[in-house]
Amino acid sequence: MGTSGLTVRDIAKMGALLGFARLAHPGRFERYESVTWEALIADLSDEGKKWASNVLGTFTGMHPRAVSAHCYLHLARPERIAEFAGAALSPDGDPIAFYHFDGPMNRVWFDPWVRHLRSQGVGVHLGTPIAEIRCSDGRVEEVLLATGEIVRADHYVTALDPGALAKLLRGADDLSARMAELDARSKVLQMQVAFTFDEKILYDGHTIFVLPDAPWGLLVRAEGSYWNEPMSLGKGKTREVLSAAFAVPDVPGILYGKPAHACTREQIVDEIWAQLRQASGALRAFRTEDGRSIGELKYTSARIWQSFQFDPVKAEMTTYEPKFSNNVGTLALRPRAEEPTLRNLVHSGAYTRTDANTHHMESAAEAGMRAANLVSTGRASVEFDRYPEPKGLLGAARRMDRALHARGYRHPFELLITPAAVAKRIYGSDSPLRTPGASSL
């Protein structure tokens, strides 16, 4: 998708949004928790909205009409990449933000990790559903399994999604109601189709492709060419996997004229493949060894996670594992690792409140470290400083803005990024400079 349709106003506002996220004191961002990203960029042109909305929605798996502007502003902050051997640089010595496994994730990550845990004496009980989490006097007393077995422990760590946790809790009505509300506010339909191929696909340097000009806003990840050897995932040996996910489930597609949430599994496969083959970015990016484009390819299999099933009565796609999204109103409901509601229940998982803040793998890893530290040391702290205090001019700008923010003055960039209706909502006034009742410097 080209940028020729962007207006001067679009470019100025996008620059101001990025400048605000990087230069403003982060304490300002929470004011935007009650505002959707779509509302914040409502004054962009249609082409501008594709870049500011579809790209981000596709990249994060969150719907711009529901996700909070606070989430995206936080996501744009300068973040220090975790420093550990082999992870901070590519083989060419360049900084990288995405990492590929040399085989399917279960085989090269999860299975070895389970073997390691078991070697350390950890019991892993697969296929053993929980029936109830029984609580009393502000703590978990025991866990009832579906088999009828009762498990008791000193500490309990949960990474269950909020909806599942709400349904299992007994005797913890406040936490159950809070998790049920969080579940209702945070759900978004995002699905991924893994297309397998029996031939190698070439692409120039990138492995993540965002296709915002596709109606459903596609993100495609190429993985198979990084595997050590072909593996059988479909018919025959698999040499390439293109995983395509959508982030805009309520826009009609190009084949059936239906939004994603109203399509069957088979229709979603057909629709994503058709949109992928028409997207200009995909046609330019992917080539076979003999020069054919993706529009000329045939896949050997297409796989969707089994939890997604079409409900013929409701005529919609359903799942018991909905994607969590940092939607408007979810921040205050998200628990921290040291959640005080139940003294011996420790929250983990990407939906908890962490420094990373946004629902993704980095947040899940941080939550897991905090949970482990809380159980082992009594403090849910982590040593890694994800957002170190900036130095030089950036640090000076942040410190100056912290003082202005404390006195009720708005950041200059907010004059460009905040439509009048949004300013009135978050500040109680459409005045461009001051919050009502703020003290003077």
Side-chain angles (χ1 to χ4, degrees), residues 113-375:
W113 181 239
V114 169
R115 289 195 294 271
H116 171 72
L117 291 175
R118 283 176 167 156
S119 73
Q120 301 299 307
V122 176
V124 180
H125 304 276
L126 301 177
T128 312
I130 294 174
E132 297 178 358
I133 300 175
R134 295 171 173 173
C135 313
S136 64
D137 297 325
R139 57 183 289 112
V140 177
E141 295 295 339
E142 60 189 24
V143 172
L144 173 66
L145 303 182
T147 60
E149 180 184 357
I150 290 177
V151 177
R152 297 186 177 91
D154 295 326
H155 299 279
Y156 301 82
V157 178
T158 174
L160 294 170
D161 72 76
L165 182 59
K167 293 175 183 177
L168 294 174
L169 287 168
R170 302 290 186 274
D173 294 345
D174 289 347
L175 181 58
S176 179
R178 177 177 166 187
M179 292 299 97
E181 184 178 355
L182 178 59
D183 178 62
R185 288 177 178 265
S186 64
K187 286 181 180 178
V188 65
L189 179 66
Q190 184 194 36
M191 295 174 61
Q192 176 176 285
V193 179
F195 296 99
T196 65
F197 303 86
D198 58 5
E199 57 185 315
K200 188 174 182 179
I201 297 177
L202 307 176
Y203 31 87
D204 185 19
H206 301 281
T207 57
I208 300 290
F209 300 88
V210 177
L211 307 174
D213 53 342
W216 289 0
L218 301 182
L219 181 144
V220 184
R221 183 165 186 164
E223 300 185 65
S225 295
Y226 284 79
W227 295 357
N228 285 333
E229 59 185 26
M231 296 187 181
S232 180
L233 295 182
K235 298 177 182 178
K237 293 295 183 180
T238 296
R239 297 196 66 196
E240 184 58 86
V241 177
L242 297 182
S243 296
F246 64 79
V248 185
D250 54 1
V251 171
I254 62 177
L255 282 185
Y256 301 102
K258 297 193 295 186
H261 62 74
C263 289
T264 65
R265 290 168 61 94
E266 294 76 18
Q267 288 172 338
I268 284 175
V269 170
D270 293 343
E271 187 68 59
I272 289 181
W273 182 240
Q275 292 186 30
L276 179 59
R277 295 176 73 187
Q278 282 194 11
S280 58
L283 291 172
R284 290 193 304 269
F286 301 112
R287 286 286 186 275
T288 62
E289 291 177 300
D290 60 6
R292 287 172 294 140
S293 74
I294 195 169
E296 303 170 87
L297 287 178
K298 292 183 179 180
Y299 57 84
T300 55
S301 70
R303 297 171 171 236
I304 297 177
W305 195 247
Q306 54 86 24
S307 66
F308 291 94
Q309 298 293 331
F310 185 75
D311 186 332
V313 176
K314 296 180 179 179
E316 65 180 17
M317 184 61 65
T318 62
T319 178
Y320 58 82
E321 295 177 317
K323 168 75 166 59
F324 185 96
S325 176
N326 293 70
N327 293 344
V328 165
T330 59
L331 182 67
L333 296 169
R334 290 161 53 202
R336 299 181 184 275
E338 63 273 26
E339 177 63 53
T341 306
L342 298 172
R343 294 188 298 276
N344 61 341
L345 178 68
V346 183
H347 293 270
S348 185
Y351 71 88
T352 59
R353 289 189 69 169
T354 62
D355 290 344
N357 190 55
T358 305
H359 187 273
H360 53 39
M361 187 59 74
E362 286 293 309
S363 186
E366 181 185 332
M369 288 188 288
R370 290 184 182 278
N373 289 342
L374 182 64
V375 171

Side-chain angles (χ1 to χ4, degrees), residues 9-44:
R9 164 69 179 168
D10 291 337
I11 296 171
K13 176 153 182 172
M14 290 183 194
L17 282 165
L18 184 60
F20 179 64
R22 292 180 171 262
L23 296 174
H25 175 57
R28 292 186 182 275
F29 301 159
E30 286 196 22
R31 284 187 178 272
Y32 292 84
E33 174 65 18
S34 63
V35 177
T36 65
W37 181 249
E38 182 182 67
L40 188 61
I41 63 169
D43 50 355
L44 291 179

